[in-house]
Amino acid sequence: MSHRVADELGYKDMDNISAASSRHNSENLPYVHKVGVTPKQNLLKEIAGTVKETFFADDPLRQFKDQPRSRKLVLVFQALFPIFEWGRNYSLSKFKGDLIAGLTIASLCIPQDIGYAKLANLDPQYGLYSSFVPPLIYAFMGSSRDIAIGPVAVVSLLLGTLLQNEIDPSENPVDYLRLAFTATFFAGITQFTLGFFRLGFLIDFLSHAAIVGFMAGAAITIALQQLKETDIVSVMRSAWSAAHHGWNWETILIGMSFLAFLLVAKYIGKKKKKLFWVPAIAPLISVVLSTFFVYITRADKHGVQIVKHIRRGINPSSLNEIFFSGEYLAQGFRIGVLAGMIALTEAVAIGRTFASMKDYQLDGNKEMVALGTMNVVSSMTSCYVATGSFSRSAVNYMAGCNTAASNIVMSSVVLLTLELITPLFKYTPNAILASIIISVVISLVDIEAMTLIWKIDKFDFVACMGAFFGVVFSSVEIGLLIAVSISFAKILLQVTRPRTAVLGKIPRTTVYRNILQYPAATKVPGILIVRVDSAIYFSNSNYVKERILRWLADEEEQLKESSRPGVQYLIVEMSPVTDIDTSGIHAMEELFRSLEKRDVKLVLANPGPVVVDKLHASKFHEMIGEDRIFLTVEDAIVTCAPKMDLEP
């Protein structure tokens, strides 16, 4: 690395200048530090380190270090079944909180489950089945203290739409049900596989903005489905047709009045947190009152549609119903993968939200294994895809749950309902189930989140709206496809077109920052400083080279117009460049040659350890010269500026 240079040396090319001092320029310049080169790592250790950071970033095996074999076996068992870890310290005071929370979410889930089963085009009992077995399994294997397990609106809608595309549930209900169990089985396999092989990061490719849009579009579609339509165009036709053939006023009265009651209850719970139980029990009160009203008035004889029959008893086995071969196997696999991914995205997001609120760690991959196992077993016990429900989890949290035991309490209440109470739902009007579903999905339309997305990132807003309109005007599959496509497009755009910036010196400091962000920052005469804000890979290396040369051309043009000396040094600030590949090295070599032809010297500042290693491995440091690689931009300026004074 260069140190100080004296005027007596005359003009020297930077490649031939080493550390020197001068009598003419004898002032004490700051010491210029050399850029460190990390010791060469063993290849196997390097691969092991990369694998660890990719798949085991949270270091899940830390707790097993320095433990005897017997203790390790106990820890493995507790890792698979967390209930045996928190159960050791379980107390009566904790049970009281879990009991109240479990009873509260049970009162919410029973009417919801019946409605969600309708969304999936299944008989009501299958919704209740899915809130009996899955919560029990999750309570043993799940690590979240707050998630309430069961069917959810979006996954029910997705399943109902995709399954109906393959089999008409009215014409072939047996095979439709079997396909639902098959999809649930493969949803569980997908979730388990992602968790077991620690591939949970794959669900992060569906951006938050795309999820917000998809959920909002699904909410609108679910509301429209209560009018027997699946898109906004169809519902307008339906409304026009109904206006000519007449409306059933009893159905409208039941639906609208109880919808208003549910929305008021939700508003009360939102405004006064202590009254969280009001919106939680409102659906059950609505079902009881509406059922009683229909029974005493016999409104079912006047066109009000009712549930009619819910099968009594606990879940029957469905292992023999799953398609393990035949024409529907592939369809079941495809639908299961989609449903499993959406269910995972929702559950992990909910789990992380409440874990951060209570300040505890949630292992996403362990959650996936738990959810996957849960859905595989569920598919064999007449359940369809279950996951974490945000509305129930929020109530569970507000009700004071302490552990996953609240899911056991809820499951027990659902068991009693299946064994004793299901005949009482015979006269429950379908309109009240529609009202419950609409009141729940309204909260999925998050206007506040959409507004924030618009303010923060316009491209994210495009992804959000693309997913929203795709679901509303076409179908759930199209909306999901648009959401994923736009999310990937954004990633590709950011990778292939990274940001670059021209830097200037902040007055009275040695700090160099983007001149657009800091207008007071000044450029150094004869030196252009460019920062690359991304790793340099094959996908963007050519763009990075061309963009740097374009910055240089723009700078030269401005200097020429103002009759000032041209650029002599181009400093590339590389602190944001986390990595560089072979194409990136070739691009830097081409940049070096292009600059040589323009009599501009290339200088690098603050390359990271990975980049430095690869620069040395490719011998690029010899091409550019060791004395042109600096620890900071200030070191480069201190060294280069005196040399410009020496040049004629």
Side-chain angles (χ1 to χ4, degrees), residues 256 273 364 376:
M256 296 302 293
K273 300 298 183 185
V376 168

Side-chain angles (χ1 to χ4, degrees), residues 536-550:
I536 304 176
Y537 292 129
F538 66 93
S539 58
N540 63 21
S541 57
N542 196 52
Y543 171 80
V544 169
K545 179 197 72 175
E546 292 177 352
R547 190 67 185 91
I548 292 174
L549 290 174
R550 190 146 38 102

